[in-house]
Each structure stands twice: as C-alpha cells, then as structure tokens.
Amino acid sequence: MLKPLLYIRPKPWQIAISILGVCWGLATAFTSPKLLKEEEQSDFQMTESTPLWTVMGKLGKIKTNQPKDWAKAKDQLTIRQGKELIEQGFTTKEGSSTELLSKKMSCASCHLSVREEPSLDNLDPQKRLKYVDSNQLSFLPGPSFYGMINRIFFFNNDFAKLYDGPYAHLLKGAHFDLRKSMDACNQLFADGREMEDWEKEAILAYLWTLELKMGELEMKKADWEKVEYSIKNNRSNARAVNLIRRYYSEVYPAHLVRPPDERARQMISPASNSFLNGRKIYERSCLHCHEEKRYSRFKLDNRQKTFKRLAANFEGKAKYSIYAAHRYQSGKNWRGIPIFTKERMSDDQLADLRFFIDNMAKMGDEALNYYKN
C-alpha cells in the first residue's frame, strides 16, 4: 500500500527565493538581444593598446584577412612557423625543414616587419626615409608587414597590366585577397614556388601579431571620444569607422613608372640634389640586398672602385643601371628583383642616389668630408 506524500509547508524565505528565481528567469528570457549587446558594448574599454580590428569589430565592421582556424592561428607554434617563413624562407614541420619558398630571397628581403612611417596616414617616401634612417631600419621596395592585416587592397591595376600573359592568373584576385597576394609576390618577385595552404595560414597567423594598435593612430582627443561614445551606445557606428580610417592607410597606392629619360638623368647638381639623402638610400636600401651578396649575386660595398662601376652604367639600359634596378624597364611579364613604385622611392630620391654615387666615384671618401654638412 502506497504511503501518502507528506506536505511540508515552505518557510517564507524559501517562497521569496523561488519568486525571485522565476522573475530572473523571465527577465533573462525576454531581454532584447539588442539590450544585451549594448550592455556588452558598454563594458568594453578602448585603450591605446587595443588592437584596431577589435575596435572596428565593436563598431560592426567585418574583419578582413581572417585565418581559417582562429584557434590554430593563435597557437605559438603556428605563429613561429609564419615568422620563420617570412624571415628565412623556410621553417620546421614535424621535425624536418620545409622546402624553401624561394632559392633567391625571402620575404624579409623586401619587407620589414616593424613600423616604418612616422605617421600612419602619411606615406611620403622622404618622411619614411628619415624615419627608417633614424631607427636604423632598411628602406625597402615592399611595404612593411606591420599593419598588413588592417589593409583591404593589395596588388593594383598597374601590376595587373604588367603581368598580362602566362602569370596573369597569379594576380587574379590578389587585389582583394592577402593569401593570393602572398603567392603572387613569392612567384613573381622572389621567383619562387607556389606556397602551400598551411604556409599561407602560418604567415597570416604571424601577421595578426603585427596588427595596428589604437594608440599608434595618434587620434585627436575629440575623435577618440566620439569613437568611445559610438561603442558605448551602439550609435553612429559608420561615422566612428570613418573617423578611425582618417588616421591610417587601408590602401597603399602603387604606381609603376618608367625611369627618367636620358636628359632628366643628367640634370643633377648640389643645388637640386642631396648627397646625404643619396647616402642614406645607398646604405639603407642598396646595401640591404647587395652587401656581401646578401640577396643578390651583384656585390656592392663602399669602395671607390664599386662606385665607378655603378657610375659607368648610369645611361642607357645597362644591366647594372640604378634605373633598371629601381624602375620597371624590362618589358611585360618581367620577373626578378622587386622594383620601387614612385610611392616607395621618388624620382627626386633616385636623383639623390645618383648624385651620391657620382661624387663617390669621382672623389672617393673625400666626398664624405666635403658633403659632411
């Protein structure tokens, strides 16, 4: 025979807790997702060390250049592999060295992995030269990997026009796709092989460690406060995104220009050219690749004999002309050493380089004292 259930009368405090629990459950169930999002937004604090994409994401902008697997991209082994692929062209995988991306050069031959501009919204090559010289950095043809994942376009139409034959497929989509742009750069400029998917993902993982930080944008206080307001209140987000965009370059312009003509090349003088500027370019750019044949079979040094050899090739289409080395001059589907766009080295800077070489060829080390000031 079943025993009757005993009824135990709850105490007042137990009834109160039950009622509160039900109310809390109903409040949570019927809370608007928008209100929850706003509450989450209001707890977010933007600081100078906050990554740029974190802030853009809070404002509703979809991140570009994202890894396929975020968990793997944050793994230190993957990041290390990406760093090594950039700096030395190979890494280790499962205990063995991987195949070289290129037998001629690595990504670091042409790209820095640190900041190279004094101001992130000003890409003037002369200001960049002064900045890299003062920080003991190189002056290179390729833009820095620092902040690369915060950019939205890569190879532009000038490159598409240059490679319109058997290599055109490499640039198809590279304008919008960082992975395709890695492959195109490695095959066209480094004359390397096609990159494997895991290699591109490893490099991408490393690039995410080089993301821009909000403090580096050097925003005006009023604009900073407007961005903070938008994040906290989830209002005027588009305006906030556009305010941030004013302080860094999402797109790096790149124009492939012909070398100056014969007459323009000869119009150099102390009145219009800077010996010291030319020296900085030679030391920070030319020697970066050519000193002790670091990335090139053509060796350069500071001997007068070397400068005489360079000066003898100023005119025409000589193979070792500084104009052939720095400007596109070899016809379509040209492969090999990277070329400087006019945004990476101006014609004035190229003239300064010639002025420096010309004087070093004529005077040797005496030119260093003569143009000391």
Side-chain angles (χ1 to χ4, degrees), residues 157-172 187-188 328 331-335:
N157 289 336
D158 272 19
F159 287 94
K161 292 174 184 176
L162 176 59
Y163 299 100
D164 64 348
Y167 307 114
H169 69 283
L170 293 173
L171 291 176
K172 188 176 182 180
Q187 292 188 58
L188 295 177
Y328 164 60
K332 287 189 175 294
N333 295 306
W334 168 85
R335 299 176 75 185

Side-chain angles (χ1 to χ4, degrees), residues 37 41 53-63 234 237 241:
K37 183 177 180 182
Q41 295 285 81
W53 265 124
T54 299
V55 174
M56 290 296 211
K58 292 289 182 182
L59 295 169
K61 184 172 170 59
I62 299 174
K63 296 178 181 179
N234 195 28
N237 290 359
V241 167

Side-chain angles (χ1 to χ4, degrees), residues 65-160:
N65 310 315
Q66 296 191 61
K68 294 179 180 177
D69 185 340
W70 273 107
K72 192 170 184 180
K74 293 178 180 179
D75 181 73
Q76 290 302 309
L77 172 60
T78 304
I79 293 171
R80 177 181 63 78
Q81 289 176 325
K83 187 173 187 289
E84 290 175 347
L85 286 168
I86 281 177
E87 293 180 348
Q88 59 191 27
F90 70 94
T91 184
T92 54
K93 186 180 182 185
E94 299 175 352
S96 302
S97 295
T98 61
E99 181 187 357
L100 283 169
L101 294 178
S102 167
K103 295 180 180 179
K104 294 184 176 181
M105 59 185 71
S106 67
C107 303
S109 308
C110 307
H111 301 267
L112 295 175
S113 292
V114 295
R115 180 172 172 170
E116 61 178 359
E117 298 101 355
S119 177
L120 296 175
D121 65 340
N122 190 325
L123 305 180
D124 179 77
Q126 185 57 26
K127 291 183 178 180
R128 180 167 56 87
L129 177 61
K130 291 180 179 179
Y131 182 85
V132 298
D133 183 62
S134 63
N135 287 279
Q136 303 295 300
L137 301 171
S138 297
F139 187 68
L140 303 180
S144 176
F145 287 129
Y146 191 74
M148 181 75 75
I149 59 101
N150 300 114
R151 298 169 208 159
I152 58 174
F153 297 115
F154 304 97
F155 284 100
N156 65 5
N157 289 336
D158 272 19
F159 287 94

Side-chain angles (χ1 to χ4, degrees), residues 77-349:
L77 172 60
T78 304
I79 293 171
R80 177 181 63 78
Q81 289 176 325
K83 187 173 187 289
E84 290 175 347
L85 286 168
I86 281 177
E87 293 180 348
Q88 59 191 27
F90 70 94
T91 184
T92 54
K93 186 180 182 185
E94 299 175 352
S96 302
S97 295
T98 61
E99 181 187 357
L100 283 169
L101 294 178
S102 167
K103 295 180 180 179
K104 294 184 176 181
M105 59 185 71
S106 67
C107 303
S109 308
C110 307
H111 301 267
L112 295 175
S113 292
V114 295
R115 180 172 172 170
E116 61 178 359
E117 298 101 355
S119 177
L120 296 175
D121 65 340
N122 190 325
L123 305 180
D124 179 77
Q126 185 57 26
K127 291 183 178 180
R128 180 167 56 87
L129 177 61
K130 291 180 179 179
Y131 182 85
V132 298
D133 183 62
S134 63
N135 287 279
Q136 303 295 300
L137 301 171
S138 297
F139 187 68
L140 303 180
S144 176
F145 287 129
Y146 191 74
M148 181 75 75
I149 59 101
N150 300 114
R151 298 169 208 159
I152 58 174
F153 297 115
F154 304 97
F155 284 100
N156 65 5
N157 289 336
D158 272 19
F159 287 94
K161 292 174 184 176
L162 176 59
Y163 299 100
D164 64 348
Y167 307 114
H169 69 283
L170 293 173
L171 291 176
K172 188 176 182 180
H175 183 46
F176 305 99
D177 191 318
L178 181 52
R179 293 176 178 85
K180 291 181 180 179
S181 113
M182 291 178 196
D183 226 358
C185 191
N186 189 58
Q187 292 188 58
L188 295 177
F189 289 133
D191 199 13
R193 62 173 173 81
E194 182 178 358
M195 298 170 69
E196 297 183 27
D197 286 343
W198 74 266
E199 291 172 320
K200 286 182 275 192
E201 291 306 306
I203 291 175
L204 200 61
Y206 173 60
L207 294 184
W208 270 93
T209 69
L210 306 180
E211 183 179 0
L212 297 179
K213 304 297 187 295
M214 289 301 297
E216 295 171 313
L217 272 56
E218 300 177 346
M219 296 179 65
K220 294 179 181 178
K221 183 180 179 181
D223 289 340
W224 182 280
E225 290 174 349
K226 288 176 183 177
V227 173
E228 284 185 319
Y229 172 84
S230 292
I231 293 175
K232 183 177 180 179
N233 298 283
N234 195 28
R235 297 179 64 183
S236 303
N237 290 359
R239 181 195 66 175
V241 167
N242 289 330
L243 277 177
I244 295 173
R245 281 172 165 166
R246 295 178 186 177
Y247 291 93
Y248 77 101
S249 299
E250 280 188 323
V251 181
Y252 276 39
H255 291 87
L256 304 176
V257 295
R258 293 284 183 178
D261 59 33
E262 298 290 334
R263 185 169 179 271
R265 296 183 193 187
Q266 297 169 2
M267 296 179 67
I268 59 172
S269 72
S272 58
N273 296 109
S274 169
F275 177 89
L276 296 179
N277 212 47
R279 181 182 181 181
K280 290 176 184 178
I281 296 169
Y282 184 78
E283 293 176 349
R284 299 293 173 194
S285 182
C286 304
L287 293 185
H288 172 82
C289 283
H290 295 276
E291 188 172 29
E292 299 300 331
K293 298 182 180 181
R294 187 181 183 190
Y295 298 121
S296 171
R297 289 176 293 179
F298 183 52
K299 181 180 178 180
L300 291 178
D301 51 38
N302 288 305
R303 296 182 302 164
Q304 186 175 11
K305 179 181 179 180
T306 298
F307 290 114
K308 286 183 176 181
R309 183 183 181 188
L310 288 173
N313 290 281
F314 279 150
E315 311 307 333
K317 297 183 179 180
K319 181 179 180 180
Y320 299 115
S321 163
I322 62 171
Y323 302 103
H326 291 81
R327 295 287 189 243
Y328 164 60
Q329 194 180 14
S330 305
K332 287 189 175 294
N333 295 306
W334 168 85
R335 299 176 75 185
I337 57 172
I339 43 186
F340 280 84
T341 63
K342 74 174 186 178
E343 289 83 5
R344 299 298 293 177
M345 183 185 292
S346 67
D347 280 346
D348 287 342
Q349 289 177 322

